[in-house]
Amino acid sequence: NAGVTQTPKFQVLKTGQSMTLQCAQDMNHEYMSWYRQDPGMGLRLIHYSVGAGITDQGEVPNGYNVSRSTTEDFPLRLLSAAPSQTSVYFCASSDQGNSGNTIYFGEGSWLTVV
Amino acid sequence: AQSVTQLDSQVPVFEEAPVELRCNYSSSVSVYLFWYVQYPNQGLQLLLKYLSGSTLVKGINGFEAEFNKSQTSFHLRKPSVHISDTAEYFCAVSDQGTYKYIFGTGTRLKVLA
């Protein structure tokens, strides 16, 4: 049972480059989200989706785009990377009904922008 | 708006001593409450959660938490910690009927030999 799978695990980007962090879940969860984790700031919500075709902004959406074309996938795009986007990114999913509102996290993607 | 406050950024404690990690939240509606643990260079794992019913919730690894609605708190406790409990602990809140979760800034528990 794979759960939530994120790729890549590590990535170094140059300022201005673009990239996509991939996220897939195999639990048929409706809700998916992206967080970034920075020292002393906990987890901050970037974007979330309550179902295929529906996305919304979280606390820190600037510089990031998302789409949700299928239930399983929720990629996060950085269009023009900036050093301020150096962080650890976590994808998560949840289903209110079956998992009792538990969020399941991926293992994280460490991104460095130089 | 929802918010979660974890007042202690770091908590050092000796092995086999008890520990309490504090969490307070603000919300105008009924909530679900969670504690997650993060070991170094790993993702977050669920320790325990409060959805409804008994206010004392037991989780994995001997941890428990008590929901106190009047004080809007959900403190995490363990009567005797082990070196392996060294990790970062996050409290989270979600309004009932929504999917949105808000996390606290985390408490780093360091267990000393």
Side-chain angles (χ1 to χ4, degrees):
Chain A
N1 191 353
V4 180
T5 303
Q6 286 181 236
T7 56
K9 193 167 178 72
F10 300 99
Q11 182 73 49
V12 179
L13 285 179
K14 293 183 179 178
T15 297
Q17 284 184 318
S18 62
M19 78 156 298
T20 299
L21 298 177
Q22 301 291 345
C23 177
Q25 53 94 6
D26 62 358
M27 298 173 281
N28 201 33
H29 286 170
E30 295 175 6
Y31 178 83
M32 297 186 74
S33 54
W34 278 101
Y35 292 86
R36 60 177 288 173
Q37 183 179 21
D38 303 288
M41 305 192 77
L43 279 81
R44 292 182 292 169
L45 182 64
I46 304 172
H47 285 285
Y48 65 98
S49 167
V50 297
I54 306 169
T55 63
D56 205 348
Q57 297 181 349
E59 304 169 68
V60 288
N62 292 340
Y64 307 95
N65 279 352
V66 291
S67 60
R68 185 93 180 270
S69 56
T70 66
T71 300
E72 294 78 19
D73 300 301
F74 191 47
L76 178 72
R77 297 184 187 85
L78 285 72
L79 297 178
S80 179
S84 61
Q85 293 177 303
T86 293
S87 187
V88 184
Y89 292 85
F90 289 97
C91 180
S93 74
S94 172
D95 183 331
Q96 275 191 328
N98 294 332
S99 67
N101 261 54
T102 301
I103 299 183
Y104 294 87
F105 286 89
E107 301 219 332
S109 296
W110 275 254
L111 176 66
T112 301
V113 183
V114 298
Chain B
Q2 285 175 321
S3 67
V4 177
T5 303
Q6 292 182 247
L7 287 172
D8 306 305
S9 59
Q10 294 187 64
V11 173
V13 62
F14 285 104
E15 194 173 18
E16 297 183 9
V19 70
E20 178 178 82
L21 306 183
R22 296 180 293 169
C23 173
N24 288 87
Y25 69 93
S26 68
S27 177
S28 59
V29 297
S30 296
V31 297
Y32 297 136
L33 294 157
F34 307 82
W35 276 99
Y36 284 83
V37 59
Q38 184 181 33
Y39 298 103
N41 299 319
Q42 294 186 23
L44 282 77
Q45 305 171 31
L46 180 69
L47 265 182
L48 49 81
K49 61 185 177 185
Y50 171 79
L51 302 181
S52 65
S54 173
T55 57
L56 183 63
V57 180
K58 294 191 183 297
I60 62 171
N61 300 340
F63 284 93
E64 64 180 30
E66 186 154 19
F67 170 53
N68 187 318
K69 189 174 182 179
S70 62
Q71 297 187 6
T72 61
S73 67
F74 191 55
H75 301 332
L76 181 70
R77 296 191 291 259
K78 186 170 183 178
S80 176
V81 295
H82 302 287
I83 296 287
S84 58
D85 293 323
T86 294
E88 190 152 22
Y89 292 80
F90 292 92
C91 182
V93 64
S94 170
D95 285 345
Q96 289 188 20
T98 76
Y99 283 105
K100 220 168 163 186
Y101 301 79
I102 301 296
F103 284 81
T105 53
T107 298
R108 195 173 298 273
L109 175 64
K110 185 168 178 62
V111 181
L112 309 168

